[in-house]
Amino acid sequence: MNTQKIIDKIIKTSQGSIDELVNILHFDCDAYLFSVANQLRKSYCGDEIHLRAIIEFSNHCRCDCSYCGINKQNTTLDRYRMRPEEIIDYAKKAYLTGYRTIVLQSGEDPWYTTEKISYILQEIKKFGDIAITLSIGERDYDTYKQWKLDGADRFLIKHETADEALYNSLHPHSSFKNRMKCLKNLKELGYQIGSGFMIGLPGQTLKTLAKDILLLKELDVDMAGIGPFIPHPKTKLQNHPVGSCYLTLKALALTRILLKSPYLPTTTSLEVTNIKDRKNAFYTGANVIMRKVQPYKYRKLYEIYPNSTIHEKSIKEERKEVEDYIKLIGRKVSTTRGDSIKK
Ligand code: SAM
């Protein structure tokens, strides 16, 4: 079967084999793939682009991820923690600027106990109709359960790579099995779940990427973040090359045609590697963009990879800039929370 036929078959059946996905990732079929992914984005999700405010509230981390600049071994990084009141205050600023989803992200930082996160969730929920996504790593079932009761709507915890051996070698502090368990627990508790992976990890092949996309399908995710790996000088992978933006766009498009309705952000790592490709992602299946809203002094310190795109702009200025861009490309700015379309 030629590549175009395989794409048509996947669109029709929402099923694909590893070999079929590898074929698409390998062969030059991007014009067709991107165009059908864009059409499917339009028919399943519409023309709205969802803006999410992200507060990266702590760069303390107990983990030792080989790729991540805030890993615990990096002793050169100035560490910060936002106080609960400060987090709530910035979430309020974002809400008043028009954001209807707040993503609370951090390193895995046990200083934020179950109770502290519960308090933050309850206070943010008092603002009005606002969705909260947590992205704070691995915790036990009862903790996730409590946060769901306190008002958390979604949880983003990427599987990073579907290759179990590779996952375990990159994450000596944890395991692929535990990551999967967390995702399963979150789903069972009724969260809208987000997973995702990096493109360009050492030892990764097109077959691994095919498995990554199929795993998103198996997990039945509501959202998925797919971005290129970017080397950070204070990590074990400092000399490993940056991941391919082109392959990132193909993986994004393939995820759109296989899964149809998930929220797919154009990731910050895509912007850092190539702003043009971040914009292109809106034509290859993406329908979400996130904006950092914590104070500038903290934005610079949340350095998971070197990022020269951080500017000292106000929350309002940044939002206006993105809104203008969305309108310029003929799309609409969503004014809703942007909950899972499946639900
Ligand atoms: N601690 C939480 C967790 O593990 O889910 C959330 C924070 S973690 C820093 C957020 C994401 O950053 C990870 O899921 C990973 O995909 C991404 N990331 C970290 N280092 C990266 C790098 N060097 N290049 C690209 N993405 C990276």
Side-chain angles (χ1 to χ4, degrees):
M1 225 192 291
N2 73 21
T3 310
Q4 196 161 319
K5 281 203 175 120
I6 298 173
I7 293 174
D8 290 340
K9 192 214 104 183
I10 293 176
I11 293 173
K12 208 167 158 200
T13 61
S14 293
Q15 301 289 336
S17 67
I18 293 180
D19 286 347
E20 287 169 337
L21 268 62
V22 168
N23 183 307
I24 298 170
L25 291 168
H26 181 72
F27 289 107
D28 190 7
C29 56
D30 33 312
Y32 186 66
L33 175 68
F34 293 162
S35 131
V36 288
N38 195 34
Q39 280 165 31
L40 287 165
R41 185 270 312 149
K42 190 175 169 67
S43 45
Y44 281 83
C45 314
D47 274 336
E48 291 189 334
I49 291 180
H50 297 265
L51 278 82
R52 319 283 203 206
I54 180 164
I55 302 179
E56 296 156 333
F57 62 87
S58 164
N59 68 355
H60 285 261
C61 193
R62 64 179 166 200
C63 303
D64 193 12
C65 307
S66 307
Y67 47 83
C68 184
I70 65 169
N71 78 81
K72 70 170 180 195
Q73 311 275 7
N74 183 1
T75 50
T76 61
L77 180 67
D78 283 339
R79 304 276 174 173
Y80 70 91
R81 277 187 184 112
M82 287 173 71
R83 285 172 295 103
E85 294 305 339
E86 205 180 3
I87 298 170
I88 297 158
D89 187 32
Y90 275 83
K92 183 76 177 248
K93 286 183 170 57
Y95 179 72
L96 294 176
T97 316
Y99 288 97
R100 288 296 171 267
T101 290
I102 303 287
V103 183
L104 297 176
Q105 193 181 81
S106 69
E108 276 196 26
D109 184 358
W111 185 84
Y112 295 90
T113 55
T114 308
E115 294 73 26
K116 280 195 182 106
I117 298 290
S118 291
Y119 171 70
I120 295 165
L121 291 168
Q122 289 164 5
E123 290 301 307
I124 294 177
K125 280 289 173 176
K126 287 181 189 163
F127 302 166
D129 190 25
I130 185 161
I132 306 177
T133 304
L134 290 175
S135 177
I136 56 183
E138 298 177 12
R139 299 274 181 129
D140 61 29
Y141 184 90
D142 288 341
T143 303
Y144 287 155
K145 186 174 174 187
Q146 185 57 50
W147 293 340
K148 185 79 183 62
L149 294 171
D150 293 318
D153 302 276
R154 313 177 190 141
F155 207 105
L156 172 64
I157 181 162
K158 298 191 199 172
H159 70 262
E160 315 292 3
T161 173
D163 177 332
E164 183 163 0
L166 178 58
Y167 184 97
N168 291 342
S169 76
L170 295 171
H171 306 91
H173 55 276
S174 185
S175 67
F176 184 74
K177 285 203 169 56
N178 199 52
R179 202 69 166 182
M180 287 302 112
K181 192 170 147 204
C182 288
L183 278 155
K184 191 183 136 275
N185 287 346
L186 291 160
K187 183 116 204 154
E188 189 183 309
L189 287 163
Y191 282 88
Q192 297 169 43
I193 60 161
S195 186
F197 54 94
M198 277 172 279
I199 307 267
L201 294 171
Q204 190 184 52
T205 61
L206 293 184
K207 198 170 172 183
T208 326
L209 295 181
K211 285 187 188 166
D212 279 316
I213 297 165
L214 289 170
L215 183 56
L216 294 177
K217 168 94 183 154
E218 189 186 321
L219 291 167
D220 190 26
V221 295
D222 302 283
M223 50 194 173
I226 302 167
F229 157 78
I230 302 174
H232 185 289
K234 296 288 176 196
T235 61
K236 291 177 197 144
L237 297 186
Q238 56 179 286
N239 296 320
H240 193 72
V242 65
S244 156
C245 289
Y246 171 65
L247 212 45
T248 303
L249 291 179
K250 280 185 97 172
L252 184 83
L254 202 38
T255 302
R256 175 63 71 205
I257 70 165
L258 184 72
L259 278 76
K260 309 290 190 299
S261 62
Y263 286 93
L264 298 177
T266 163
T267 51
T268 313
S269 55
L270 201 48
E271 171 174 345
V272 172
T273 5
N274 189 346
I275 180 72
K276 239 173 139 186
D277 280 326
R278 182 175 206 181
K279 292 177 174 174
N280 282 342
F282 285 127
Y283 298 96
T284 65
N287 63 337
V288 174
I289 187 161
M290 290 200 217
R291 282 287 156 215
K292 293 173 191 275
V293 296
Q294 73 267 29
Y296 176 67
K297 61 180 176 184
Y298 300 137
R299 292 183 205 180
K300 289 184 298 179
L301 294 176
Y302 196 77
E303 204 197 50
I304 53 184
Y305 41 72
N307 181 351
S308 56
T309 68
I310 299 173
H311 303 293
E312 195 165 3
K313 287 183 190 144
S314 70
I315 301 176
K316 251 190 193 155
E317 280 169 336
E318 278 223 280
R319 174 138 182 142
K320 165 124 187 18
E321 220 170 70
V322 184
E323 284 190 0
D324 287 348
Y325 177 71
I326 292 171
K327 288 172 195 156
L328 185 76
I329 63 171
R331 303 275 278 274
K332 293 179 193 139
V333 178
S334 172
T335 52
T336 70
R337 292 166 32 132
D339 283 302
S340 176
I341 294 165
K342 287 187 288 155
K343 287 169 205 244

